[in-house]
Amino acid sequence: MESRSVTGRLSITVNGQIRDVSGGRAHTTALEWLREGGLSGSKEGCAEGECGACAIMVARPDGSDGTAWTAVNSCLLPVAALDGQEIVTAEGLATPGALHPVQVELAERGGSQCGYCTPGFACSMAAEFYRRGRGTSVPPTDAAGLDGTDANSEHGPNGFDLHALSGNLCRCTGYRPIRDAAYALGEPEAGDVLAARRDRPTAGPTATVVTAPDGTFIRPATLAEAVGLLAEHPEAVVVAGSTDWGVDVNLRGRRSPVVIAIDALSELRGLDVGPDVVHIGAAVTLSEAERALAGRVPLLAGLFPQFASRLIRNRATFGGNLGTASPIGDTPPALLALDARLVLASSEGRREVALEDYFTGYRETVLRPGELILAVQIPLPLAPLCVFHKISKRRFDDISSVAVAIAIDVQNGVVRRARVGIGGVAATPLRARETEQALTGQPWTGETAAAAARVLGTEGTPMDDHRATARYRSAMLEQAMLKFYSDDTQGREAVS
Ligand SMILES: Cc1cc2nc3c(=O)[nH]c(=O)nc-3n(C[C@H](O)[C@H](O)[C@H](O)COP(=O)(O)OP(=O)(O)OC[C@H]3O[C@@H](n4cnc5c(N)ncnc54)[C@H](O)[C@@H]3O)c2cc1C
Ligand code: FES
Ligand code: FES
């Protein structure tokens, strides 16, 4: 990352024009800054990442010397985090005298009524319009499948992945005309400036310091600098994708005297599939991992499409999901079933901890003051049979009532090893150890699955809350095991 020490001279390229961000505050969101500066196309519907009315496109490195237009929620992103970067808002899509193709299709197919959601839909749709390989490759959500059905195979004849719109809500038009608009899009035409921009690299975020009355926002250039700052300011909040922190700032009024952005630190950005381990840097986003792994970790491939929305996954990181230590976070059950370990770093050095030892209580972990998560490591080989079930009220962009991840190794018809991770049924995500014992050493039969399901239904200490009753949660645990067995048996019958 380029290092520069700046206070009060920050800039963002917005719709091709450099704009000064001087005077920005540590907690001002990109949405607030855009609207205050007269770019009121991006709307605030919820200020918590749920509606997509605030979507904009950010130029992000595409992993091969080019640029990928990536749609994100501007309501969650601190504007200081965009210093040195390029963004496009709904105002920047059209060219003088000509609407953008997504605007043409939305207009012609009746995809907009009151129009409040439309700028956000247009930006999410444009990012997918510019996705390289759209139409020629099978996107990861298709490769993964979900729950043994093809419910996730939601692609238009033009390769448009409807998941691109999973974070955008419309209250009045109805989604069919919007989908029709998306599926009618062709390829970018010659002379399309945003398409051409993809061929040049993008710099990525720059090291930044914003000192303002509401706090200091620092983007350090290196991990050493970051952990040094954390040692100096143990009260600092570490921010990666800001999809949780942004909600805290907007809805809970949280402020921190020091905010340290770690999302661009190269030491946290690696993703590598080695002979013995899959290494995922803590600041790798869910979308980046989904693309880079391309189904090579099937449990995660099953998880990705069910995690929030594309807009959130484009910013949400593994480190952030584990950093919140939420009992209903989706990656912990999957990573527990994968026997993952965490690499932690502080100014005193690095240490490793098994994920099963990481959570110590409700939103409490073994992380010491001044320590952060550097990476997640998944040992190889993976258990051949696995599944991730998320039970929630909505299929997309919803929080788990219960999550269950199961990974088993069956040899000669006998379960040799079993790992079961569960979420939403205790103060922390858990390994369902009694269920694992009920499976291990047993023949992989309907009787074993039924017995294990009964045990799984008794694991954890589920509670009644507005998402689900304790009884429902236990029942869902049981069902997850039965469905796992049934899907496996049907899958094998279909092959033979
Ligand atoms: C609309 C919406 C839908 C969501 N849906 C889901 C969902 O389906 N499933 C789900 O699990 N979550 C969901 N979330 C929650 C959130 O997106 C995830 O927890 C995400 O992974 C957080 O990552 P982040 O990088 O944005 O974290 P941030 O917001 O940047 O940080 C979150 C917390 O983690 C800490 N942190 C960040 N990185 C590190 C690190 N490397 N080391 C130590 N601490 C760190 C921060 O200090 C902060 O306390 C949703 C959120 C929203 C707004
Ligand atoms: S305003 Fe609703 S997602 Fe940002
Ligand atoms: S057109 Fe009114 S909310 Fe979508």
Side-chain angles (χ1 to χ4, degrees):
M1 185 175 24
E2 186 194 330
S3 178
R4 57 177 195 155
S5 177
V6 198
T7 308
R9 281 204 171 275
L10 318 184
S11 64
I12 300 173
T13 303
V14 185
N15 302 330
Q17 307 278 321
I18 296 179
R19 286 196 169 212
D20 198 9
V21 201
S22 308
R25 292 173 171 244
H27 297 88
T28 300
T29 66
L31 178 63
E32 287 163 343
W33 178 76
L34 285 168
R35 293 182 59 83
E36 280 162 17
L39 290 172
S40 55
S42 314
K43 302 286 188 273
E44 182 180 295
C46 64
E48 58 173 327
E50 300 272 0
C51 76
C54 64
I56 59 170
M57 297 200 298
V58 182
R60 300 275 302 151
D62 70 355
S64 57
D65 292 334
T67 290
W69 288 112
T70 306
V72 303
N73 300 102
S74 65
C75 68
L76 298 178
L77 198 55
V79 67
L82 288 172
D83 179 34
Q85 297 192 66
E86 281 172 69
I87 63 171
V88 171
T89 66
E91 290 92 342
L93 292 174
T95 47
L99 287 178
H100 188 275
V102 302
Q103 294 168 323
V104 171
E105 296 302 342
L106 279 167
E108 287 186 355
R109 286 161 209 280
S112 176
Q113 284 189 21
C114 79
Y116 199 81
C117 68
T118 310
F121 267 104
C123 285
S124 291
M125 209 180 268
E128 174 64 7
F129 173 68
Y130 290 118
R131 177 167 62 81
R132 278 192 194 278
R134 175 176 60 82
T136 56
S137 64
V138 180
T141 47
D142 261 6
L146 180 67
D147 291 348
T149 72
D150 65 353
N152 264 347
S153 301
E154 286 163 340
H155 288 84
N158 57 356
F160 189 100
D161 181 359
L162 264 194
H163 283 247
L165 306 181
S166 58
N168 294 83
L169 298 183
C170 174
R171 69 181 174 180
C172 52
T173 299
Y175 294 102
R176 208 217 56 229
I178 297 173
R179 186 197 61 187
D180 291 350
Y183 284 0
L185 288 166
E187 288 299 314
E189 289 186 355
D192 183 320
V193 179
L194 296 176
R197 176 67 189 85
R198 299 176 303 179
D199 297 336
R200 287 179 286 116
T202 192
T206 43
T208 304
V209 180
V210 175
T211 308
D214 68 331
T216 303
F217 179 98
I218 310 174
R219 181 185 287 293
T222 62
L223 175 65
E225 214 184 297
V227 292
L229 281 164
L230 273 173
E232 228 176 283
H233 303 280
E235 77 290 3
V237 167
V238 158
V239 172
S242 195
T243 59
D244 272 307
W245 173 242
V247 176
D248 278 350
V249 167
N250 292 346
L251 299 195
R252 298 184 192 103
R254 273 194 68 195
R255 299 291 181 266
S256 172
V258 183
V259 176
I260 302 176
I262 55 162
D263 54 322
L265 294 175
S266 57
E267 296 90 339
L268 274 68
R269 298 269 309 138
L271 191 151
D272 178 58
V273 183
D276 304 321
V277 81
V278 178
H279 172 103
I280 305 175
V284 170
T285 68
L286 277 280
S287 286
E288 286 167 340
E290 184 177 12
R291 240 182 347 258
L293 292 174
R296 280 181 289 176
V297 182
L299 237 176
L300 293 182
L303 154 77
F304 291 132
Q306 303 183 68
F307 189 108
S309 63
R310 172 63 71 206
L311 286 170
I312 294 288
R313 295 202 294 278
N314 282 345
R315 288 286 308 170
T317 64
F318 279 80
N321 202 231
L322 297 165
T324 65
S326 164
I328 47 170
D330 282 332
T331 67
L335 294 173
L336 283 168
L338 290 166
D339 260 342
R341 297 181 66 77
L342 304 183
V343 185
L344 311 179
S346 72
S347 59
E348 287 169 18
R350 296 184 186 191
R351 62 182 178 127
E352 272 192 37
V353 55
L355 182 61
E356 62 184 290
D357 300 326
Y358 170 76
F359 301 102
T360 53
Y362 179 69
R363 295 207 182 251
E364 285 175 5
T365 71
V366 298
L367 272 183
R368 298 171 185 149
E371 199 168 41
L372 50 75
I373 304 165
L374 190 71
V376 176
Q377 302 210 318
I378 299 167
L380 294 173
L382 302 171
L385 254 182
C386 64
V387 78
F388 178 80
H389 281 299
K390 171 170 173 171
I391 293 95
S392 54
K393 292 193 173 177
R394 286 189 316 223
R395 202 167 124 224
F396 299 122
D397 206 3
D398 201 2
I399 290 183
S400 291
S401 302
V402 178
V404 184
I406 309 170
I408 63 172
D409 193 351
V410 180
Q411 284 169 24
N412 301 323
V414 174
V415 180
R416 297 291 171 203
R417 195 164 185 280
R419 286 288 180 274
V420 181
I422 51 179
V425 290
T428 67
L430 289 179
R431 252 181 73 189
R433 289 177 189 277
E434 287 177 19
T435 310
E436 292 173 3
Q437 274 173 19
L439 289 166
T440 309
Q442 301 299 318
W444 184 226
T445 60
E447 288 71 33
T448 299
R454 281 193 296 277
V455 178
L456 186 52
T458 65
E459 300 252 25
T461 47
M463 288 185 347
D464 291 336
D465 68 12
H466 62 283
R467 284 203 184 85
T469 60
R471 220 173 120 229
Y472 177 80
R473 288 187 154 102
S474 297
M476 289 304 103
L477 290 179
E478 278 193 45
Q479 286 303 315
M481 181 63 73
L482 295 176
K483 184 160 168 43
F484 175 52
Y485 179 75
S486 151
D487 288 347
D488 176 44
T489 326
Q490 281 172 20
R492 273 183 282 136
E493 277 167 6
V495 171
S496 58

